[in-house]
Amino acid sequence: MCLFVVTLLCACHRQNATGTVVSNDKTPPDDAEAPYVEGNKRIIHLENEEIELFIQRYGWQMERTGTGLYIQILEQGNGAQIQEDDRVTLEYQTFLLSGEKIYDSAEDGVKTFKVAKSEEINALHEAVRMLRPGARARLVIPSYMAYGVAGDGDKVNGREPVVMLIHVLEP
């Protein structure tokens, strides 16, 4: 009798797998992220349209890089092209698209940084690698290459493109 009860209890606890597998993975399915991805693409597209209209309004002849940075080299400079790990010093002016000057090395001091190895905005690292010492350039920088969705916490709001005039000083 005892053996019968134990067998019955064991049989009751055995369940064949049926239904769906429940996952503890917190990652949403790919289609759940689609509206956010599409929204961000739309925002970037609208920002690029705004930048291109801004450049046309001033008649600037700028080159657009694969990352979306717009650059116009105003003076070529001399010597070897700047490379990753080089230390560069820049005089600069930074403007909003409204024309408001927000930063100026004459007041804020020059920027000195190691190319591709510092916390300067991505656009500066890319731009200086296209330049030589003594070069001057105009940059129109999309927000995602400047201060992103958060802004700089001071004078640049989130998702705000900026314009920079830079002069690479001789080492």
Side-chain angles (χ1 to χ4, degrees):
M1 176 78 172
C2 201
L3 182 59
F4 175 75
V5 172
V6 170
T7 306
L8 183 63
L9 287 174
C10 288
C12 289
H13 286 288
R14 286 189 204 147
Q15 296 179 351
N16 293 336
T18 59
T20 60
V21 176
V22 177
S23 172
N24 289 332
D25 185 11
K26 303 282 188 214
T27 307
D30 289 339
D31 59 343
E33 293 178 356
Y36 301 110
V37 171
E38 291 306 313
N40 282 331
K41 285 181 182 177
R42 181 76 178 137
I43 289 168
I44 289 169
H45 176 75
L46 291 172
E47 184 177 302
N48 283 334
E49 284 182 351
E50 178 185 20
I51 289 170
E52 288 175 7
L53 289 171
F54 174 83
I55 291 168
Q56 287 175 6
R57 181 176 25 204
Y58 288 99
W60 295 341
Q61 301 301 310
M62 304 192 86
E63 175 187 334
R64 183 172 189 239
T65 69
T67 62
L69 170 67
Y70 291 84
I71 185 168
Q72 181 180 15
I73 299 174
L74 304 170
E75 284 182 37
Q76 289 296 325
N78 301 305
Q81 194 161 344
I82 296 167
Q83 302 292 318
E84 185 173 325
D85 290 326
D86 287 351
R87 183 169 287 303
V88 296
T89 301
L90 301 178
E91 291 179 335
Y92 62 91
Q93 293 179 321
T94 306
F95 302 86
L96 300 176
L97 294 189
S98 66
E100 177 186 354
K101 185 190 307 182
I102 53 174
Y103 297 112
D104 189 334
S105 60
E107 299 160 8
D108 304 319
V110 296
K111 288 185 183 287
T112 300
F113 61 96
K114 196 170 189 180
V115 178
K117 305 288 187 196
S118 74
E119 294 184 15
E120 286 299 329
I121 61 174
N122 292 337
L124 282 181
H125 292 284
E126 181 178 350
V128 297
R129 283 184 276 192
M130 293 185 241
L131 303 174
R132 302 173 190 282
R136 293 179 188 271
R138 177 182 292 129
L139 313 173
V140 180
I141 307 169
S143 64
Y144 60 87
M145 293 192 71
Y147 299 101
V149 296
D152 72 351
D154 189 13
K155 298 178 181 178
V156 181
N157 294 321
R159 294 191 191 260
E160 190 164 25
V162 295
V163 177
M164 288 188 81
L165 296 173
I166 61 173
H167 174 213
V168 181
L169 299 178
E170 301 284 339

